[in-house]
Every structure is written in C-alpha cells, then in structure tokens.
Amino acid sequence: MRSDLDIISTWIKPGQKVLDLACGDGALLERLQEQGVNGYGLEIGPEQISRCIARGVNVVEQNLDQGLGNFADNSFDTVVMTQALQTMRFPHLVLQEMLRVGQECIVTFPNFGHWRARWHLAFSGRMPVSDLLPYQWYDTPNIHFCTFKDFEVLCQELSIEIISRRVTTQGSGRMIKQALPNFFGITAMYHLRKR
Amino acid sequence: MSEIDDHSVGLVEPQCAEFNEALELASGRRLEQYQLMYECYGELNGDASNAILICHALSGNHHAAGFHSYEESKPGWWDAYIGPGKPIDTSKFFVVSLNNIGGCDGSTGPNSINPETQKPWGPDFPRLRVRDWVNSQARLADLLGIQCWAAIIGGSLGGMQAMRWSLEYPERVKNCIVIASAMKLSAQNIAFNETARQAICSDPEFAEGHYQQQDIIPRAGLSVARMIGHITYLSGDGMGEKFGRQLRSGTFEQGQDEPVEFQIQSYLRYQGEKFSTSFDANSYILMTQALDYFDLAREYDHDPVKAFCHAQCKFLVVSFTSDWRFAPARSREIADALMAAGKSVSYAEIESDAGHDAFLLPNQRYETVFSNYLKGIAQQLEVSNNAQ
C-alpha cells in the first residue's frame, strides 16, 4: 500500500461521502469503502475503469479537464485527487472546482522542488527523469509541475486554508526531512478547505 | 447447419407462460389474459438468487442466445454476450429472456386473437408503456419463483425497462445494467420514430392496421421504416467505412447511361425487406410509441434524482462513443442523477464506431467492463451462499 494512501485514509472519517478524481485502479476507494466511506471515482483510462469495476468500486468515466459541472456545490464531504494535479490542463481551476463540490479536499502531487530534481536540473542541465517521474519532457502526462512553495502561494492566492500538510520522504533522517519539506519531500499531501 | 461451440448455450426451446389474471395497463385499459414467450439459459440455484432478466429492445424477442435447431443459421440476438464463460455467464447465472407483450414473436400482441371479437387485435391492441412490460415481467418472475433478480439488463428500450424496474420494484432487483439508453427520448428521436410510423401508415397495404384480416402485409412501408431506423442505428463513420461509395452495379464512365446502384442502397433495401416479412407493422408502431412515451421522471416532478431515490439496487451504465441515437450524453445524465441520488453506480463510455448497434456487437472493452461487473455479482452470490 502506498504510504500516502495511509495518510489520506486517516484524513477521511467513516461515513463520509467522497469523490476521488483520477481514481486510477480504485485502490484508495476500495480501502475507504472498507472503513465505511462511500464514494465515486472519476477516471478516464479504460483499463483503470475496468479494474475499478473488478474491485467493486464505483467509477464514472469522466474527463476532468472538462470540469465538474455535473456536480452540485458541496455535494461531497471530501474531494480527493492523488498524483494527478500535475496532469491537469488548468490545475488552479480544478482546485477551485474541488472546493466548490466538496467541503474539504485532499491533494497529493510530486514535489518538483525535491533535492534530486534540483540536482538533476542544476548539474545535468536537463529535465529530471526519475523512478517516480519516468517520462521524457516531450512525452509526459505531467504538464504542470510545481514545488511545495509554489502550491502554497497558489493556495494563498485562491483563499484556500491548509488544514494539514504532510510529505513522504525516503531513507533516514525523517525529522530533518519533515522540517525541510520543499527540499526532501517526494510527495506532497495537502488537506484543504475554503477560507 | 450452425457451429455450436463450448461458449454457446446450445439448443434452446422457447416456453410459453399463460396469465389469466387481468393486467391493468397504464393507459387505463386492461388485458384480461395474455401469454409470454420466454427462454431460460443456465440453472436457477437453490434460493433463486442467481436469476438475470434480459429486457429486449425495439425489435428483439425472447430468443437472446443459442439455437432453436441445428438448421438455424444465426444464434439469438445477444449470443455474443450470453453463454458459458461469456459476460452473462450461464454457468453461474440463470438467465431469463422474454418477448414483451405487444411483440410479434409469440407473446400476446396486435397479431394475436382478441378473445372478445375472435379477430386479430390489429390496431385495437391497447397502447403500452414501459411500466406495463415491467409489470408483466414481474408476473413472469412470480411464476418462475424468482423473488429478486440478481440483475436486470437491457440495451436501448431494454435499458428503459431495467430502470423502470428499479423504481417500481426496488426490492426485487439487486443490480440494474443500463446500456445505450436514455431517461427519455429527444425530439430528434421521436421525429425518427414518427417518420418510420408514417412510412408504415402511408402504405395502402397497411389498411389502417387491419391488414391481417385482409391477408396482406404493408411490406413497403415497414421496409422503409426499418431503413430509417437502420440508418440511425449505425454511425456515419461506420457506414462510410463499410460501404463508402462502392457500387454494386452500373458505372460512372463517360458515355454510359446504365443505372448505378450503391452498395449502401442494396444493403438497406435488403435489411428493410428482411424485416418487413419478419416483423409485425402494428407491433412496430406500438413499440416505437412506448419508446416515445417513456419518461423516467415524469411522475417524480420531472426530477431524475428524486426518481432514482426510490431505487435500492446498484447500477452499471454503458454508452458508446459513436451512438448518436442514444448518445453518451444521455447515459451521463443517468449516471449523474444516480450519483446525485447517492446510488451505487459505475459508468463506462466505450469507444466504438458501430453506432447504436454497438451494444449488440463484440467489443473487447465492452466485454471486459460487462464481465468484470457481473463477476462481482457472482462473487457476492457465492459469499452470501457460503454464509448461509
């Protein structure tokens, strides 16, 4: 189980109604269902949709770049988007939509400010390619990278309150890494609500 | 002679159920007695929990899978999806498929004898609505000892029946699979149906619906009606790819005045003619009217969310990208209403260039979605049977 899913599971309370944007194979929703959370996943990948159905997870085929206009304001307790914000055409509009449809939202994304990415760019002079982000720049679904700092500036601009923030790190020295998330954090996890 | 493989339900025999208790119809009229033709595939389990009902579309009937004889050239209309190891797996489920009342394949309909007059009903057969079919299907379920369907599945007009079931008999259906359907027809859809009906009515051989008594058939009218329908069941791209501007006969060479016939012309004519001898014109009118009249949320203040609040089952909704007769947008409306009503629903939009007909044809992704969903139902049945 991905550790970010562990953390997300603790942010969502049993009985809540959840919308999982770009829900992938439905692993998070399946886990949430086990803890009594009801929800739907939105997904666009045919194979992912089939996997969700095989898991018994509610999945609806929908292109997120076309918005969430089919959902009423505040119709969900929490709207989740894991590792997909960077693939959206307009991440800021998606964020605003998430907070219109949900009371709260949870977003996770790869931190482009991680020291490895900085190292790669600084010394090889080329866009980082890593295990987590294995794509070449010209052929990647990840079209809008940001760092923790970038994201928090955006939250400020959009009047979004950060309820809590976590990062996943690698290796030892967890304390210092949590203290310098923009440098050591691999995946950023934000729990947000409207201010 | 037909090839019958391991994934076919094999030879099947239609059965006929007689109902002598009057059926009150939505129109206010009643059908004093009626019969339903049906077929069953697979075996009903001990607690009758593995039954699936197949609801047919406009021109379908009870013969959904397998063969009536070794001489039959084509299997039932949904054979691609019903059989051992197929998405609707008859080694796990007991599948029931019937011909609806108003049809013309053995169930009571316009070409049956009206017991009061001892003449064919013809155009006097009561107009039907989707809920009448659902009520008659519920009687068939009673007869077969099925208290609750594991799933009710239908494409197009069949999907409308499945949805109506979920509202009228919420405690009698666990899963509802709605394929290439809609909560109500658009004006354009009604327009196509009306054109088809007018083609039939304007044929002198229609004799205002009393053709049967005069021993004639409105062949030309029914044929044109089918041609119109057929065009709308295919996609422009699919038709272009299959037929293009290919000629069946004649030439465009300079100096030639030979009449030219395109492949699509002869194809459509063949489809029309075939249909005109196998389907009843009054049934066609009745079925298309039922399609036009259907409006899922009419008595729920025209609010589909309010309507679906009455449902208790889970839903799978499927549409096809090139289907313009029952466009994906119509299926998305169903999925949206179900989500707003807080119901369990999955929705898949299958890439296909086969138009509305795609729901009947083999398609890898469609098969995967369909069988994954039904495998889930089968697993739940196993779990609950083991728990008992």
Side-chain angles (χ1 to χ4, degrees):
Chain A
M1 170 62 66
R2 282 151 55 187
S3 62
D4 48 340
L5 297 193
D6 292 330
I7 294 165
I8 293 168
S9 310
T10 63
W11 282 345
I12 296 172
K13 314 229 160 14
Q16 279 201 342
K17 202 176 161 195
V18 168
L19 185 66
D20 185 0
L21 308 183
C23 66
D25 64 5
L28 173 65
L29 277 171
E30 186 182 39
R31 177 158 168 162
L32 290 173
Q33 268 178 15
E34 284 161 13
Q35 60 189 62
V37 172
N38 293 312
Y40 305 98
L42 302 185
E43 180 51 57
I44 199 170
E47 272 141 45
Q48 305 279 47
I49 290 169
S50 294
R51 275 188 217 122
C52 287
I53 292 174
R55 281 176 191 267
V57 158
N58 288 323
V59 62
V60 167
E61 183 159 343
Q62 184 166 334
N63 183 350
L64 298 177
D65 278 332
Q66 284 161 11
L68 298 174
N70 51 327
F71 295 98
D73 296 358
N74 296 317
S75 46
F76 290 88
D77 295 304
T78 306
V79 180
V80 186
M81 182 182 255
T82 59
Q83 302 287 4
L85 193 68
Q86 75 281 0
T87 68
M88 296 293 117
R89 234 181 100 123
F90 300 109
H92 62 303
L93 298 182
V94 172
L95 261 182
Q96 283 176 310
E97 272 291 87
M98 287 174 76
L99 282 169
R100 176 186 67 78
V101 167
Q103 306 277 354
E104 295 178 353
C105 84
I106 295 170
V107 191
T108 80
F109 55 87
N111 175 28
F112 210 66
H114 186 262
W115 68 268
R116 273 181 208 267
R118 298 186 193 204
W119 178 273
H120 198 109
L121 188 58
F123 290 95
S124 77
R126 296 189 58 192
M127 287 298 280
V129 176
S130 66
D131 302 349
L132 207 65
L133 304 166
Y135 303 97
Q136 293 293 339
W137 66 272
Y138 49 82
D139 182 25
T140 174
N142 305 314
I143 53 174
H144 282 115
F145 276 123
C146 68
T147 68
F148 279 26
K149 270 191 188 161
D150 290 328
F151 185 76
E152 294 194 4
V153 168
L154 179 65
C155 288
Q156 188 78 34
E157 282 170 10
L158 298 178
S159 293
I160 294 170
E161 180 192 341
I162 297 168
I163 304 169
S164 49
R165 177 184 77 184
R166 291 285 294 272
V167 294
T168 60
T169 55
Q170 250 177 4
S172 55
R174 208 167 157 268
M175 289 287 276
I176 181 153
K177 285 175 178 172
Q178 290 287 341
L180 291 169
N182 202 34
F183 200 70
F184 288 114
I186 294 170
T187 298
M189 277 175 283
Y190 282 91
H191 190 187
L192 311 165
R193 71 173 161 234
K194 278 159 282 201
R195 209 191 293 276
Chain B
M1 184 164 146
S2 311
E3 291 273 319
I4 298 182
D5 65 20
D6 294 347
H7 296 293
S8 169
V9 297
L11 286 181
V12 292
E13 210 175 311
Q15 299 172 70
C16 182
E18 305 270 351
F19 299 87
N20 291 313
E21 195 189 331
L23 186 68
E24 303 286 343
L25 303 172
S27 63
R29 292 176 69 182
R30 52 196 280 170
L31 212 49
E32 295 299 336
Q33 57 197 141
Y34 60 97
Q35 63 179 39
L36 290 175
M37 293 297 286
Y38 66 99
E39 287 180 7
C40 303
Y41 323 112
E43 276 181 42
L44 189 63
N45 62 7
D47 59 353
S49 60
N50 70 332
I52 288 182
L53 175 67
I54 307 293
C55 301
H56 70 71
L58 187 60
S59 59
N61 57 24
H62 51 281
H63 188 32
F67 298 87
H68 284 161
S69 73
Y70 285 107
E71 283 70 46
E72 199 176 32
S73 63
K74 274 170 74 180
W77 57 270
W78 221 11
D79 197 72
Y81 289 89
I82 304 170
K86 290 179 183 170
I88 304 171
D89 191 341
T90 50
S91 63
K92 293 179 176 135
F93 295 106
F94 174 69
V95 181
V96 179
S97 171
L98 80 159
N99 182 213
N100 280 326
I101 49 172
C104 53
D105 285 298
S107 293
T108 301
N111 65 1
S112 311
I113 299 296
N114 178 352
E116 272 179 39
T117 62
Q118 290 304 313
K119 285 180 187 158
W121 281 97
D124 303 325
F125 193 82
R127 252 188 285 279
L128 298 172
R129 298 192 200 155
V130 168
R131 65 179 65 246
D132 298 323
W133 289 330
V134 167
N135 290 334
S136 66
Q137 290 159 2
R139 298 255 184 102
L140 181 63
D142 294 340
L143 186 86
L144 296 172
I146 297 158
Q147 181 48 42
C148 181
W149 297 98
I152 299 182
I153 308 177
S156 192
L157 178 56
M160 293 172 169
Q161 294 160 54
M163 287 188 282
R164 186 57 81 199
W165 258 97
S166 76
L167 305 186
E168 292 294 306
Y169 298 96
E171 70 295 344
R172 296 193 73 174
V173 49
K174 287 224 153 58
N175 291 274
C176 181
I177 303 184
V178 182
I179 304 163
S181 194
M183 293 189 285
K184 58 184 172 194
L185 289 195
S186 66
Q188 189 192 39
N189 252 319
I190 296 170
F192 281 123
N193 284 342
E194 179 58 13
T195 312
R197 285 190 293 263
Q198 284 304 319
I200 293 170
C201 296
S202 58
D203 184 337
E205 309 266 277
F206 181 62
E208 289 177 328
H210 297 288
Y211 49 88
Q212 210 175 333
Q213 291 182 55
Q214 299 178 28
D215 222 11
I216 48 176
I217 304 176
R219 200 167 286 181
L222 197 49
S223 180
V224 173
R226 183 58 171 182
M227 287 165 78
I228 295 162
H230 209 86
I231 295 166
T232 69
Y233 303 148
L234 303 177
S235 75
D237 285 349
M239 210 187 245
E241 201 166 296
K242 196 167 169 190
F243 302 101
R245 291 178 55 83
Q246 288 167 46
L247 299 185
R248 185 172 165 80
S249 62
T251 169
F252 287 114
E253 258 176 61
Q254 292 284 344
Q256 295 277 344
D257 189 30
E258 208 185 320
V260 156
E261 189 186 28
F262 290 95
Q263 285 288 3
I264 184 66
Q265 288 176 279
S266 89
Y267 170 79
L268 273 183
R269 271 209 300 273
Y270 169 75
Q271 292 294 339
E273 275 157 30
K274 194 173 73 169
F275 189 75
S276 70
T277 53
S278 64
F279 209 82
D280 179 67
N282 285 316
S283 276
Y284 196 82
I285 290 171
L286 183 149
M287 294 278 175
T288 54
Q289 282 173 333
L291 253 177
D292 291 356
Y293 299 165
F294 183 75
D295 184 348
L296 184 90
R298 190 186 287 119
E299 68 263 42
Y300 301 94
D301 299 331
H302 293 276
D303 179 357
V305 180
K306 209 167 156 184
F308 278 129
C309 282
H310 295 264
Q312 291 172 19
C313 61
K314 295 180 173 183
F315 290 81
L316 172 67
V317 180
V318 177
S319 72
F320 300 90
T321 50
S322 62
D323 183 354
W324 55 282
R325 187 84 197 246
F326 288 81
R330 300 285 82 73
S331 287
R332 282 198 291 268
E333 286 166 2
I334 299 171
D336 286 344
L338 284 165
M339 285 194 283
K343 300 298 164 185
S344 191
V345 56
S346 284
Y347 167 62
E349 207 167 295
I350 309 290
E351 178 93 30
S352 164
D353 69 357
H356 187 52
D357 268 353
F359 87 88
L360 299 165
L361 303 172
N363 174 310
Q364 190 57 59
R365 189 182 162 209
Y366 177 31
E367 283 166 39
T368 306
V369 164
F370 210 163
S371 53
N372 283 2
Y373 189 84
L374 284 164
K375 274 180 201 159
I377 300 176
Q379 274 163 14
Q380 277 165 8
L381 282 176
E382 263 172 50
V383 170
S384 60
N385 282 347
N386 290 342
Q388 278 166 11

